[in-house]
Protein backbone atom coordinates (compact mmCIF):
# COMPACT_ATOMS: atom_id res chain seq x y z
CA UNK A 1 0.00 0.00 0.00
CA UNK A 2 1.36 3.44 -0.96
CA UNK A 3 2.10 5.73 1.98
CA UNK A 4 2.85 8.90 0.03
CA UNK A 5 -0.28 10.37 -1.57
CA UNK A 6 -0.17 10.50 -5.39
CA UNK A 7 -0.54 14.29 -5.49
CA UNK A 8 2.76 14.75 -3.65
CA UNK A 9 5.83 14.57 -5.89
CA UNK A 10 8.67 13.62 -3.57
CA UNK A 11 12.35 12.74 -3.51
CA UNK A 12 13.29 10.50 -0.59
CA UNK A 13 16.88 11.02 0.58
CA UNK A 14 18.20 8.30 2.84
CA UNK A 15 20.90 9.53 5.22
CA UNK A 16 23.39 7.13 6.79
CA UNK A 17 26.87 8.41 7.59
CA UNK A 18 25.81 12.03 6.96
CA UNK A 19 22.95 11.88 9.49
CA UNK A 20 23.70 14.41 12.28
CA UNK A 21 25.24 12.92 15.41
CA UNK A 22 23.89 15.67 17.69
CA UNK A 23 20.81 15.01 19.79
CA UNK A 24 17.59 15.35 17.78
CA UNK A 25 16.17 17.71 20.41
CA UNK A 26 19.17 20.03 20.32
CA UNK A 27 18.95 23.49 18.68
CA UNK A 28 21.63 22.71 16.10
CA UNK A 29 20.12 19.41 14.94
CA UNK A 30 17.56 20.91 12.51
CA UNK A 31 20.18 22.99 10.72
CA UNK A 32 22.54 20.04 10.46
CA UNK A 33 19.75 17.80 9.13
CA UNK A 34 18.81 20.33 6.44
CA UNK A 35 22.46 20.73 5.41
CA UNK A 36 22.90 16.95 5.11
CA UNK A 37 19.68 16.48 3.15
CA UNK A 38 19.98 19.40 0.77
CA UNK A 39 23.39 18.65 -0.80
CA UNK A 40 25.11 17.19 -2.78
CA UNK A 41 23.39 14.49 -4.84
CA UNK A 42 24.07 12.90 -8.21
CA UNK A 43 20.76 13.22 -10.08
CA UNK A 44 19.87 13.99 -13.68
CA UNK A 45 19.63 17.69 -14.48
CA UNK A 46 16.16 17.04 -15.92
CA UNK A 47 14.93 16.22 -12.39
CA UNK A 48 15.66 19.81 -11.35
CA UNK A 49 13.45 21.43 -14.01
CA UNK A 50 9.87 22.23 -13.06
CA UNK A 51 7.50 19.63 -14.50
CA UNK A 52 5.91 16.25 -13.74
CA UNK A 53 9.31 14.55 -13.46
CA UNK A 54 10.65 16.94 -10.83
CA UNK A 55 9.98 16.53 -7.09
CA UNK A 56 8.29 19.33 -5.16
CA UNK A 57 9.27 18.03 -1.72
CA UNK A 58 12.32 16.36 -0.20
CA UNK A 59 12.03 13.92 2.69
CA UNK A 60 14.97 13.36 5.02
CA UNK A 61 14.93 9.63 5.83
CA UNK A 62 16.97 7.84 8.48
CA UNK A 63 16.62 4.13 9.23
CA UNK A 64 13.45 4.10 7.13
CA UNK A 65 11.71 6.90 9.07
CA UNK A 66 10.88 10.42 7.79
CA UNK A 67 12.76 12.91 9.97
CA UNK A 68 11.87 16.12 8.11
CA UNK A 69 10.01 17.39 5.04
CA UNK A 70 11.25 20.30 2.94
CA UNK A 71 9.50 22.29 0.23
CA UNK A 72 11.98 22.54 -2.67
CA UNK A 73 12.28 26.11 -3.93
CA UNK A 74 15.25 25.83 -6.31
CA UNK A 75 18.22 23.68 -7.29
CA UNK A 76 21.88 24.59 -7.63
CA UNK A 77 25.02 22.83 -8.83
CA UNK A 78 27.84 21.77 -6.55
CA UNK A 79 31.15 23.68 -6.86
CA UNK A 80 32.51 20.98 -9.18
CA UNK A 81 29.26 21.02 -11.24
CA UNK A 82 28.81 17.24 -11.00
CA UNK A 83 26.00 17.16 -8.42
CA UNK A 84 22.94 19.08 -7.31
CA UNK A 85 21.64 20.51 -4.07
CA UNK A 86 18.33 22.17 -3.30
CA UNK A 87 17.29 25.26 -1.40
CA UNK A 88 14.05 24.97 0.51
CA UNK A 89 12.07 25.51 3.67
CA UNK A 90 10.47 23.17 6.18
CA UNK A 91 6.96 22.12 5.18
CA UNK A 92 4.88 22.05 8.35
CA UNK A 93 1.84 20.80 6.42
CA UNK A 94 3.53 17.70 4.96
CA UNK A 95 5.67 17.19 8.03
CA UNK A 96 2.43 16.87 9.97
CA UNK A 97 1.30 14.18 7.53
CA UNK A 98 4.49 12.21 6.98
CA UNK A 99 6.84 13.10 9.86
CA UNK A 100 7.76 9.97 11.80
CA UNK A 101 6.25 7.58 9.26
CA UNK A 102 8.09 4.47 8.11
CA UNK A 103 8.80 4.73 4.37
CA UNK A 104 11.21 1.81 4.17
CA UNK A 105 8.91 0.10 1.64
CA UNK A 106 10.28 2.54 -0.95
CA UNK A 107 13.77 1.14 -0.35
CA UNK A 108 13.56 -2.61 -1.11
CA UNK A 109 16.03 -4.99 0.48
CA UNK A 110 19.32 -4.74 -1.39
CA UNK A 111 18.63 -1.24 -2.74
CA UNK A 112 21.81 0.79 -2.37
CA UNK A 113 20.62 4.00 -4.01
CA UNK A 114 19.94 6.60 -1.30
CA UNK A 115 17.77 8.71 -3.62
CA UNK A 116 14.25 7.58 -4.59
CA UNK A 117 11.70 9.56 -6.60
CA UNK A 118 8.04 8.97 -5.70
CA UNK A 119 5.07 10.10 -7.84
CA UNK A 120 7.48 11.79 -10.26
CA UNK A 121 6.94 10.71 -13.84
CA UNK A 122 9.81 9.14 -15.73
CA UNK A 123 12.16 11.81 -17.00
CA UNK A 124 14.80 11.53 -19.70
CA UNK A 125 18.18 11.74 -18.02
CA UNK A 126 20.13 14.78 -19.17
CA UNK A 127 23.36 16.31 -17.92
CA UNK A 128 22.28 19.92 -18.51
CA UNK A 129 19.12 21.94 -17.95
CA UNK A 130 17.36 23.97 -20.66
CA UNK A 131 18.64 27.20 -19.07
CA UNK A 132 22.19 25.87 -19.18
CA UNK A 133 21.77 24.98 -22.85
CA UNK A 134 20.77 28.56 -23.59
CA UNK A 135 23.78 29.91 -21.69
CA UNK A 136 27.19 30.41 -23.18
CA UNK A 137 28.84 27.11 -24.26
CA UNK A 138 31.87 25.95 -22.31
CA UNK A 139 33.86 25.89 -25.54
CA UNK A 140 33.35 27.73 -28.79
CA UNK A 141 32.42 25.46 -31.66
CA UNK A 142 35.80 26.10 -33.27
CA UNK A 143 37.63 25.14 -30.08
CA UNK A 144 35.44 22.06 -29.61
CA UNK A 145 36.18 20.86 -33.14
CA UNK A 146 39.89 21.38 -32.57
CA UNK A 147 39.67 19.41 -29.33
CA UNK A 148 37.80 16.51 -30.95
CA UNK A 149 40.18 16.45 -33.90
CA UNK A 150 43.26 16.41 -31.66
CA UNK A 151 41.83 13.66 -29.43
CA UNK A 152 40.93 11.61 -32.49
CA UNK A 153 44.49 12.05 -33.79
CA UNK A 154 45.88 10.71 -30.49
CA UNK A 155 43.55 7.75 -30.65
CA UNK A 156 44.51 7.02 -34.25
CA UNK A 157 48.16 6.72 -33.19
CA UNK A 158 47.33 3.99 -30.67
CA UNK A 159 47.33 0.48 -32.20
CA UNK A 160 45.01 -0.82 -29.48
CA UNK A 161 42.37 1.68 -30.58
CA UNK A 162 42.16 0.14 -34.04
CA UNK A 163 41.65 -3.30 -32.49
CA UNK A 164 39.00 -1.85 -30.15
CA UNK A 165 37.00 -0.25 -32.96
CA UNK A 166 36.70 -3.64 -34.58
CA UNK A 167 35.67 -5.48 -31.42
CA UNK A 168 34.01 -2.95 -29.09
CA UNK A 169 32.77 -4.58 -25.88
CA UNK A 170 34.50 -7.89 -26.60
CA UNK A 171 37.86 -6.12 -26.87
CA UNK A 172 37.49 -4.51 -23.43
CA UNK A 173 36.25 -7.76 -21.90
CA UNK A 174 39.19 -9.76 -23.25
CA UNK A 175 41.83 -7.19 -22.31
CA UNK A 176 40.51 -6.66 -18.77
CA UNK A 177 40.36 -10.43 -18.24
CA UNK A 178 43.98 -10.66 -19.41
CA UNK A 179 44.89 -7.85 -16.97
CA UNK A 180 43.33 -9.85 -14.11
CA UNK A 181 45.28 -12.99 -14.99
CA UNK A 182 48.67 -11.41 -15.74
CA UNK A 183 48.71 -8.72 -13.02
CA UNK A 184 46.37 -9.95 -10.25
CA UNK A 185 47.75 -7.63 -7.58
CA UNK A 186 47.33 -4.43 -9.62
CA UNK A 187 43.99 -5.59 -11.07
CA UNK A 188 42.72 -6.31 -7.54
CA UNK A 189 43.60 -2.76 -6.49
CA UNK A 190 41.82 -1.34 -9.55
CA UNK A 191 38.59 -3.29 -9.40
CA UNK A 192 38.28 -3.11 -5.63
CA UNK A 193 38.42 0.71 -5.90
CA UNK A 194 35.68 0.96 -8.57
CA UNK A 195 32.98 1.35 -5.89
CA UNK A 196 33.10 2.70 -2.32
CA UNK A 197 33.69 0.17 0.45
CA UNK A 198 30.34 -0.72 2.10
CA UNK A 199 29.71 0.50 5.64
CA UNK A 200 29.92 -3.09 6.89
CA UNK A 201 33.40 -3.71 5.47
CA UNK A 202 35.70 -3.56 8.48
CA UNK A 203 38.43 -5.85 7.18
CA UNK A 204 41.06 -4.56 4.81
CA UNK A 205 41.43 -6.76 1.70
CA UNK A 206 44.47 -9.03 1.93
CA UNK A 207 44.36 -11.18 -1.19
CA UNK A 208 44.31 -10.82 -4.95
CA UNK A 209 42.12 -11.93 -7.82
CA UNK A 210 42.10 -15.72 -7.98
CA UNK A 211 39.74 -16.27 -10.90
CA UNK A 212 38.18 -14.39 -13.78
CA UNK A 213 35.58 -15.73 -16.24
CA UNK A 214 34.65 -14.25 -19.60
CA UNK A 215 31.10 -14.50 -20.93
CA UNK A 216 29.93 -16.61 -17.99
CA UNK A 217 26.18 -16.87 -18.53
CA UNK A 218 26.57 -14.13 -21.17
CA UNK A 219 27.94 -11.75 -18.53
CA UNK A 220 31.07 -9.95 -19.76
CA UNK A 221 33.35 -10.41 -16.75
CA UNK A 222 32.97 -12.29 -13.48
CA UNK A 223 35.75 -11.84 -10.90
CA UNK A 224 36.51 -13.68 -7.64
CA UNK A 225 39.09 -12.79 -4.97
CA UNK A 226 40.93 -15.16 -2.66
CA UNK A 227 39.96 -13.19 0.46
CA UNK A 228 36.71 -11.99 2.07
CA UNK A 229 35.61 -9.79 -0.85
CA UNK A 230 32.41 -10.69 -2.68
CA UNK A 231 32.58 -11.46 -6.42
CA UNK A 232 32.21 -8.73 -9.01
CA UNK A 233 30.35 -8.70 -12.33
CA UNK A 234 31.28 -6.15 -15.00
CA UNK A 235 29.30 -5.31 -18.13
CA UNK A 236 30.99 -3.21 -20.82
CA UNK A 237 28.86 -0.62 -22.62
CA UNK A 238 31.24 1.42 -24.72
CA UNK A 239 29.16 3.34 -27.26
CA UNK A 240 25.76 2.23 -25.96
CA UNK A 241 23.75 2.37 -22.76
CA UNK A 242 21.88 -0.55 -21.18
CA UNK A 243 18.13 -0.20 -20.95
CA UNK A 244 16.22 -1.32 -17.84
CA UNK A 245 15.15 -4.60 -19.46
CA UNK A 246 18.81 -5.46 -20.14
CA UNK A 247 19.73 -4.75 -16.55
CA UNK A 248 16.84 -6.89 -15.31
CA UNK A 249 18.05 -9.72 -17.55
CA UNK A 250 21.62 -9.43 -16.26
CA UNK A 251 20.35 -9.51 -12.66
CA UNK A 252 18.25 -12.61 -13.36
CA UNK A 253 21.29 -14.41 -14.81
CA UNK A 254 23.32 -13.54 -11.71
CA UNK A 255 20.60 -14.89 -9.41
CA UNK A 256 20.64 -18.19 -11.32
CA UNK A 257 24.41 -18.59 -10.82
CA UNK A 258 25.14 -20.16 -7.44
CA UNK A 259 28.83 -19.15 -7.58
CA UNK A 260 27.96 -15.47 -7.95
CA UNK A 261 26.71 -14.85 -4.42
CA UNK A 262 25.48 -11.23 -4.15
CA UNK A 263 28.27 -9.80 -6.33
CA UNK A 264 29.09 -6.16 -6.83
CA UNK A 265 27.52 -5.23 -10.19
CA UNK A 266 29.34 -2.72 -12.40
CA UNK A 267 28.39 -1.07 -15.69
CA UNK A 268 31.38 0.44 -17.50
CA UNK A 269 30.23 3.09 -19.99
CA UNK A 270 31.48 6.17 -21.79
CA UNK A 271 28.17 8.01 -21.70
CA UNK A 272 26.72 8.90 -18.32
CA UNK A 273 23.19 7.47 -17.95
CA UNK A 274 22.56 10.08 -15.23
CA UNK A 275 21.35 7.55 -12.69
CA UNK A 276 20.79 8.93 -9.18
CA UNK A 277 24.06 8.41 -7.32
CA UNK A 278 25.31 6.48 -10.40
CA UNK A 279 23.12 3.57 -9.29
CA UNK A 280 20.30 1.67 -10.96
CA UNK A 281 18.27 -0.52 -8.61
CA UNK A 282 16.71 -3.68 -9.99
CA UNK A 283 15.59 -4.56 -6.46
CA UNK A 284 11.97 -3.55 -7.06
CA UNK A 285 11.90 -5.05 -10.57
CA UNK A 286 13.58 -8.44 -10.13
CA UNK A 287 12.83 -10.46 -6.97
CA UNK A 288 16.14 -10.78 -5.17
CA UNK A 289 17.85 -8.41 -7.61
CA UNK A 290 20.51 -5.89 -6.67
CA UNK A 291 21.88 -2.53 -7.79
CA UNK A 292 24.08 -1.73 -10.76
CA UNK A 293 26.74 0.96 -10.34
CA UNK A 294 27.91 2.97 -13.33
CA UNK A 295 31.64 3.66 -13.60
CA UNK A 296 33.14 5.69 -16.42
CA UNK A 297 36.03 4.46 -18.52
CA UNK A 298 37.73 7.68 -17.48
CA UNK A 299 37.61 6.57 -13.84
CA UNK A 300 38.88 3.11 -14.81
CA UNK A 301 41.81 4.77 -16.58
CA UNK A 302 42.71 6.81 -13.48
CA UNK A 303 42.71 3.72 -11.28
CA UNK A 304 44.83 1.66 -13.68
CA UNK A 305 47.45 4.37 -14.09
CA UNK A 306 47.59 4.82 -10.30
CA UNK A 307 48.00 1.05 -9.77
CA UNK A 308 50.91 0.97 -12.23
CA UNK A 309 52.89 3.69 -10.46
CA UNK A 310 56.25 2.28 -9.36
CA UNK A 311 55.71 -1.08 -11.09
CA UNK A 312 58.74 -2.32 -13.03
CA UNK A 313 58.49 -1.88 -16.78
CA UNK A 314 57.50 -5.01 -18.67
CA UNK A 315 55.57 -5.94 -21.79
CA UNK A 316 52.43 -6.61 -19.73
CA UNK A 317 52.71 -3.32 -17.85
CA UNK A 318 53.16 -1.31 -21.04
CA UNK A 319 50.17 -2.97 -22.72
CA UNK A 320 47.91 -2.07 -19.79
CA UNK A 321 49.39 1.41 -19.60
CA UNK A 322 48.62 1.94 -23.28
CA UNK A 323 45.09 0.66 -22.67
CA UNK A 324 44.56 3.09 -19.79
CA UNK A 325 45.81 6.03 -21.84
CA UNK A 326 43.59 4.99 -24.74
CA UNK A 327 40.37 4.81 -22.69
CA UNK A 328 41.25 8.15 -21.09
CA UNK A 329 41.28 9.75 -24.55
CA UNK A 330 38.12 7.86 -25.49
CA UNK A 331 36.33 9.24 -22.42
CA UNK A 332 37.46 12.77 -23.27
CA UNK A 333 36.06 12.31 -26.78
CA UNK A 334 32.71 11.08 -25.46
CA UNK A 335 32.51 14.08 -23.13
CA UNK A 336 33.40 16.45 -25.98
CA UNK A 337 30.52 15.31 -28.23
CA UNK A 338 27.87 15.64 -25.50
CA UNK A 339 25.54 18.58 -26.20
CA UNK A 340 26.33 21.58 -23.99
CA UNK A 341 24.67 24.41 -25.91
CA UNK A 342 21.51 24.65 -27.99
CA UNK A 343 23.45 26.66 -30.57
CA UNK A 344 25.53 23.60 -31.48
CA UNK A 345 24.72 21.74 -34.71
CA UNK A 346 22.72 18.55 -34.30
CA UNK A 347 24.96 16.53 -36.59
CA UNK A 348 28.50 15.94 -35.49
CA UNK A 349 29.55 15.73 -39.14
CA UNK A 350 28.47 19.36 -39.64
CA UNK A 351 31.17 20.44 -37.22
CA UNK A 352 33.75 17.88 -38.31
CA UNK A 353 33.47 18.29 -42.06
CA UNK A 354 36.99 18.02 -43.43
CA UNK A 355 38.45 16.63 -40.21
CA UNK A 356 40.55 13.51 -40.68
CA UNK A 357 38.86 11.10 -38.29
CA UNK A 358 38.82 7.33 -38.76
CA UNK A 359 35.40 6.39 -40.13
CA UNK A 360 34.47 3.80 -37.50
CA UNK A 361 35.35 6.23 -34.72
CA UNK A 362 33.36 9.02 -36.38
CA UNK A 363 30.33 6.74 -36.61
CA UNK A 364 30.65 5.78 -32.95
CA UNK A 365 30.93 9.40 -31.86
CA UNK A 366 27.94 10.28 -34.05
CA UNK A 367 25.90 7.65 -32.18
CA UNK A 368 26.85 9.18 -28.84
CA UNK A 369 25.96 12.63 -30.15
CA UNK A 370 22.55 11.50 -31.44
CA UNK A 371 21.74 9.92 -28.09
CA UNK A 372 22.70 13.12 -26.28
CA UNK A 373 20.38 15.15 -28.55
CA UNK A 374 17.50 12.68 -28.16
CA UNK A 375 17.79 12.74 -24.35
CA UNK A 376 17.57 16.53 -24.33
CA UNK A 377 14.49 16.51 -26.57
CA UNK A 378 12.81 13.79 -24.50
CA UNK A 379 13.47 15.73 -21.30
CA UNK A 380 12.04 18.90 -22.80
CA UNK A 381 8.87 17.17 -23.99
CA UNK A 382 8.50 15.39 -20.64
CA UNK A 383 8.68 18.72 -18.81
CA UNK A 384 5.89 20.03 -21.08
CA UNK A 385 3.80 16.86 -20.37
CA UNK A 386 3.75 15.89 -24.04
CA UNK A 387 3.15 12.17 -24.61
CA UNK A 388 5.97 11.44 -26.99
CA UNK A 389 8.76 8.84 -27.14
CA UNK A 390 12.12 10.07 -28.40
CA UNK A 391 14.87 7.67 -29.38
CA UNK A 392 18.09 7.51 -31.36
CA UNK A 393 19.81 4.93 -33.55
CA UNK A 394 22.24 4.47 -36.38
CA UNK A 395 21.47 3.23 -39.89
CA UNK A 396 23.53 3.12 -43.09
CA UNK A 397 26.35 5.11 -41.52
CA UNK A 398 24.02 7.89 -40.40
CA UNK A 399 22.59 8.76 -36.96
CA UNK A 400 18.81 8.69 -36.63
CA UNK A 401 16.67 10.61 -34.12
CA UNK A 402 12.96 9.79 -33.87
CA UNK A 403 10.00 11.12 -31.92
CA UNK A 404 6.68 9.25 -32.01
CA UNK A 405 3.25 9.71 -30.50
CA UNK A 406 1.09 6.58 -30.21
CA UNK A 407 -2.51 6.84 -31.38
CA UNK A 408 -3.57 3.70 -29.47
CA UNK A 409 -2.85 2.68 -25.85
CA UNK A 410 -1.27 -0.60 -26.99
CA UNK A 411 2.17 0.65 -27.92
CA UNK A 412 3.40 -2.76 -29.01
CA UNK A 413 0.96 -2.94 -31.90
CA UNK A 414 -0.62 0.51 -32.17
CA UNK A 415 -0.18 3.12 -34.88
CA UNK A 416 2.37 5.83 -34.13
CA UNK A 417 2.98 9.14 -35.89
CA UNK A 418 5.78 11.65 -35.56
CA UNK A 419 9.04 12.73 -37.09
CA UNK A 420 12.43 11.31 -37.89
CA UNK A 421 15.76 12.99 -38.64
CA UNK A 422 18.27 10.85 -40.52
CA UNK A 423 21.30 12.80 -41.55
CA UNK A 424 19.94 15.95 -43.21
CA UNK A 425 16.61 14.39 -44.15
CA UNK A 426 13.69 15.39 -41.91
CA UNK A 427 10.66 13.12 -42.23
CA UNK A 428 7.08 13.29 -41.07
CA UNK A 429 6.14 9.67 -40.75
CA UNK A 430 3.80 6.97 -39.48
CA UNK A 431 4.42 3.40 -38.35
CA UNK A 432 1.43 1.16 -39.12
CA UNK A 433 1.95 -2.33 -37.62
CA UNK A 434 -1.74 -3.13 -38.16
CA UNK A 435 -1.16 -2.72 -41.91
CA UNK A 436 2.25 -4.36 -42.08
CA UNK A 437 3.17 -6.54 -45.03
CA UNK A 438 5.34 -6.78 -48.13
CA UNK A 439 2.67 -7.29 -50.80
CA UNK A 440 1.50 -4.57 -53.19
CA UNK A 441 -1.91 -4.67 -51.53
CA UNK A 442 -0.35 -4.14 -48.08
CA UNK A 443 1.70 -1.23 -49.39
CA UNK A 444 -1.36 0.36 -50.98
CA UNK A 445 -3.32 0.04 -47.73
CA UNK A 446 -0.65 2.06 -45.94
CA UNK A 447 -0.67 4.73 -48.65
CA UNK A 448 -4.46 4.91 -48.38
CA UNK A 449 -4.16 5.34 -44.62
CA UNK A 450 -1.74 8.24 -45.12
CA UNK A 451 -4.07 9.84 -47.66
CA UNK A 452 -6.96 9.65 -45.17
CA UNK A 453 -4.81 11.00 -42.34
CA UNK A 454 -2.83 13.63 -44.19
CA UNK A 455 -2.88 16.02 -41.19
CA UNK A 456 0.01 14.02 -39.72
CA UNK A 457 2.22 14.96 -42.68
CA UNK A 458 1.74 18.73 -42.62
CA UNK A 459 5.15 20.40 -42.80
CA UNK A 460 3.66 23.83 -42.12
CA UNK A 461 3.59 22.81 -38.44
CA UNK A 462 7.40 22.50 -38.18
CA UNK A 463 8.55 24.78 -41.03
CA UNK A 464 8.84 27.86 -38.74
CA UNK A 465 11.35 26.02 -36.54
CA UNK A 466 13.29 24.32 -39.33
CA UNK A 467 13.31 27.37 -41.62
CA UNK A 468 12.14 24.97 -44.31
CA UNK A 469 9.00 26.56 -45.79
CA UNK A 470 10.67 27.15 -49.16
CA UNK A 471 12.18 23.66 -49.42
CA UNK A 472 10.82 20.95 -51.71
CA UNK A 473 8.79 18.14 -50.15
CA UNK A 474 9.42 14.58 -51.29
CA UNK A 475 7.87 12.76 -52.97
CA UNK A 476 6.44 15.44 -55.20
CA UNK A 477 2.69 15.73 -54.93
CA UNK A 478 1.06 15.90 -51.53
CA UNK A 479 -0.22 13.64 -48.78
CA UNK A 480 -3.84 14.24 -49.75
CA UNK A 481 -3.14 12.61 -53.13
CA UNK A 482 -1.42 9.63 -51.50
CA UNK A 483 2.17 10.57 -52.36
CA UNK A 484 4.47 8.84 -49.84
CA UNK A 485 7.82 7.19 -49.62
CA UNK A 486 7.94 3.95 -47.66
CA UNK A 487 10.04 1.37 -45.89
CA UNK A 488 8.54 -2.09 -45.66
CA UNK A 489 6.89 -3.56 -43.80
CA UNK A 490 5.02 -0.72 -42.01
CA UNK A 491 6.62 2.74 -42.46
CA UNK A 492 5.45 5.64 -44.65
CA UNK A 493 6.80 9.19 -44.74
CA UNK A 494 7.21 12.50 -46.51
CA UNK A 495 10.47 14.42 -46.21
CA UNK A 496 12.51 17.55 -46.77
CA UNK A 497 16.28 17.82 -47.15
CA UNK A 498 17.58 20.42 -44.72
CA UNK A 499 20.72 22.50 -44.48
CA UNK A 500 22.59 22.46 -41.16
CA UNK A 501 20.31 22.24 -38.14
CA UNK A 502 20.97 23.45 -34.60
CA UNK A 503 19.84 21.76 -31.40
CA UNK A 504 17.65 24.81 -30.69
CA UNK A 505 15.87 24.43 -34.05
CA UNK A 506 15.21 20.72 -33.52
CA UNK A 507 13.95 21.35 -29.98
CA UNK A 508 11.56 23.99 -31.32
CA UNK A 509 10.34 21.68 -34.07
CA UNK A 510 9.80 18.86 -31.56
CA UNK A 511 7.69 21.13 -29.36
CA UNK A 512 5.61 22.35 -32.30
CA UNK A 513 4.99 18.81 -33.53
CA UNK A 514 4.08 17.56 -30.04
CA UNK A 515 1.76 20.50 -29.44
CA UNK A 516 -0.04 19.85 -32.71
CA UNK A 517 -0.61 16.20 -31.70
CA UNK A 518 -1.93 17.21 -28.27
CA UNK A 519 -4.62 19.42 -29.83
CA UNK A 520 -5.88 16.81 -32.31
Amino acid sequence: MSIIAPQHRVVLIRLTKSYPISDESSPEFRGQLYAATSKWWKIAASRTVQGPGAPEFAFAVHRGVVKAVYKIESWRRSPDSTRFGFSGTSSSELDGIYGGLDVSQYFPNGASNPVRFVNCSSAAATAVTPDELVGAPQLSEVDRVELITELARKLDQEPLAHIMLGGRELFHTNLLAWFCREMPQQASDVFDALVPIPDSADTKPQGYIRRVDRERGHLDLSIWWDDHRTPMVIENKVFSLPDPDQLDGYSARILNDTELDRPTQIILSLQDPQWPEDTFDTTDRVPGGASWVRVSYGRLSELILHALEGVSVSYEVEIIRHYAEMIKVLQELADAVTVRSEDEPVLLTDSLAGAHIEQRLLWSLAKLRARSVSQIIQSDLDACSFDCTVDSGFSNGTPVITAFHYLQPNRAKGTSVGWQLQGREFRLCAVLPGLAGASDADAQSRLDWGKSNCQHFDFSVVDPALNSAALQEYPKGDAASGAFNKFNPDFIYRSKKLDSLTVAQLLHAARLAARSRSTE
Side-chain angles (χ1 to χ4, degrees):
M1 180 178 178
S2 178
I3 295 173
I4 300 174
Q7 67 268 27
H8 296 142
R9 300 203 308 271
V10 169
V11 57
L12 303 177
I13 299 177
R14 183 171 59 181
L15 305 174
T16 52
K17 289 183 177 180
S18 60
Y19 189 73
I21 59 174
S22 56
D23 187 272
E24 293 187 5
S25 61
S26 65
E28 62 269 20
F29 175 78
R30 284 293 160 184
Q32 293 171 348
L33 181 62
Y34 172 73
T37 309
S38 64
K39 61 186 181 184
W40 301 103
W41 304 100
K42 170 67 185 294
I43 61 174
S46 47
R47 290 291 191 185
T48 70
V49 179
Q50 186 174 2
E56 297 178 301
F57 300 92
F59 287 14
V61 179
H62 181 58
R63 294 180 177 173
V65 175
V66 178
K67 297 295 185 177
V69 178
Y70 306 103
K71 170 69 175 175
I72 298 172
E73 295 175 346
S74 63
W75 292 90
R76 64 194 185 281
R77 283 193 179 270
S78 60
D80 65 0
S81 297
T82 62
R83 290 172 174 262
F84 284 95
F86 68 85
S87 298
T89 56
S90 295
S91 172
S92 56
E93 178 186 357
L94 264 66
D95 197 58
I97 299 173
Y98 299 110
L101 286 183
D102 187 335
V103 292
S104 56
Q105 72 176 56
Y106 294 99
F107 295 93
N109 289 334
S112 60
N113 190 344
V115 177
R116 305 286 285 192
F117 293 94
V118 180
N119 300 327
C120 301
S121 65
S122 60
T126 60
V128 292
T129 67
D131 287 345
E132 290 170 329
L133 282 175
V134 174
Q138 295 177 344
L139 287 175
S140 71
E141 191 62 14
V142 171
D143 289 341
R144 191 169 70 95
V145 169
E146 288 183 356
L147 172 62
I148 293 172
T149 304
E150 175 60 20
L151 291 170
R153 184 191 65 80
K154 288 182 179 179
L155 207 62
D156 189 57
Q157 292 176 336
E158 174 54 65
L160 287 178
H162 293 270
I163 303 172
M164 176 203 66
L165 290 171
R168 305 294 174 83
E169 280 82 5
L170 184 61
F171 165 82
H172 293 274
T173 297
N174 288 340
L175 195 60
L176 291 174
W178 181 80
F179 178 39
C180 292
R181 289 192 299 269
E182 297 298 323
M183 304 177 67
Q185 177 181 349
Q186 288 74 26
S188 291
D189 292 343
V190 168
F191 293 119
D192 193 58
L194 286 181
V195 293
I197 298 174
D199 295 343
S200 59
D202 53 6
T203 305
K204 185 178 179 179
Q206 298 295 320
Y208 305 134
I209 291 173
R210 68 173 174 85
R211 174 182 166 191
V212 57
D213 284 358
R214 295 173 46 259
E215 298 296 328
R216 179 187 179 92
H218 300 290
L219 298 166
D220 286 348
L221 280 178
S222 302
I223 298 172
W224 290 263
W225 279 264
D226 58 8
D227 54 25
H228 69 276
R229 281 170 285 186
T230 59
M232 177 178 286
V233 170
I234 297 176
E235 281 293 318
N236 288 296
K237 295 294 177 185
V238 187
F239 295 109
S240 62
L241 287 176
D243 61 32
D245 290 339
Q246 276 185 310
L247 296 173
D248 292 347
Y250 296 151
S251 293
R253 292 172 195 168
I254 291 169
L255 288 169
N256 289 329
D257 191 322
T258 56
E259 289 191 81
L260 291 173
D261 183 20
R262 307 303 298 177
T264 303
Q265 300 174 179
I266 302 292
I267 293 289
L268 279 172
S269 68
L270 287 174
Q271 200 164 44
D272 189 347
Q274 296 293 313
W275 295 336
E277 294 306 298
D278 285 320
T279 302
F280 183 90
D281 282 333
T282 62
T283 50
D284 52 356
R285 300 165 57 90
V286 178
S291 301
W292 288 91
V293 178
R294 183 263 176 171
V295 178
S296 72
Y297 282 97
R299 175 60 176 159
L300 177 64
S301 170
E302 292 173 2
L303 292 172
I304 292 175
L305 292 174
H306 178 71
L308 296 182
E309 290 176 0
V311 179
S312 299
V313 175
S314 67
Y315 174 80
E316 292 82 4
V317 168
E318 288 307 299
I319 286 291
I320 293 301
R321 194 188 308 278
H322 272 266
Y323 173 73
E325 295 288 358
M326 181 197 72
I327 59 175
K328 176 184 177 182
V329 173
L330 201 61
Q331 185 66 64
E332 291 171 348
L333 272 169
D335 294 341
V337 302
T338 298
V339 175
R340 299 296 179 185
S341 168
E342 65 174 12
D343 294 328
E344 295 174 12
V346 171
L347 296 176
L348 194 62
T349 50
D350 281 355
S351 297
L352 299 177
H356 299 290
I357 297 180
E358 203 272 344
Q359 188 65 62
R360 291 172 299 175
L361 176 61
L362 185 59
W363 286 348
S364 297
L365 295 176
K367 285 176 62 177
L368 293 178
R369 175 67 169 197
R371 188 180 302 113
S372 178
V373 174
S374 69
Q375 288 172 332
I376 287 168
I377 295 172
Q378 182 73 76
S379 175
D380 185 70
L381 297 182
D382 288 344
C384 298
S385 299
F386 290 133
D387 182 18
C388 196
T389 301
V390 186
D391 204 353
S392 66
F394 202 76
S395 177
N396 297 323
T398 308
V400 181
I401 301 171
T402 60
F404 283 107
H405 169 73
Y406 290 82
L407 301 183
Q408 288 89 21
N410 185 348
R411 296 195 170 201
K413 298 182 179 179
T415 296
S416 57
V417 294
W419 57 264
Q420 182 181 80
L421 178 70
Q422 181 167 12
R424 297 185 183 279
E425 185 174 49
F426 189 91
R427 302 163 180 158
L428 294 178
C429 45
V431 180
L432 308 167
L435 301 175
S439 70
D440 291 343
D442 292 328
Q444 186 59 51
S445 67
R446 293 191 291 276
L447 299 181
D448 290 341
W449 185 95
K451 181 177 179 180
S452 299
N453 295 273
C454 57
Q455 73 275 14
H456 297 305
F457 305 90
D458 182 4
F459 267 94
S460 68
V461 172
V462 295
D463 278 335
L466 302 177
N467 194 26
S468 57
L471 298 180
Q472 173 68 52
E473 283 188 48
Y474 297 95
K476 295 181 180 179
D478 56 30
S481 65
F484 293 94
N485 287 321
K486 63 184 185 297
F487 293 130
N488 284 340
D490 58 5
F491 188 93
I492 60 171
Y493 68 96
R494 292 183 58 79
S495 66
K496 288 188 175 184
K497 289 181 170 57
L498 307 179
D499 294 326
S500 60
L501 190 66
T502 66
V503 174
Q505 286 178 290
L506 192 57
L507 270 170
H508 188 195
R511 293 187 203 114
L512 292 177
R515 188 173 295 117
S516 72
R517 309 289 182 210
S518 66
T519 58
E520 290 175 356

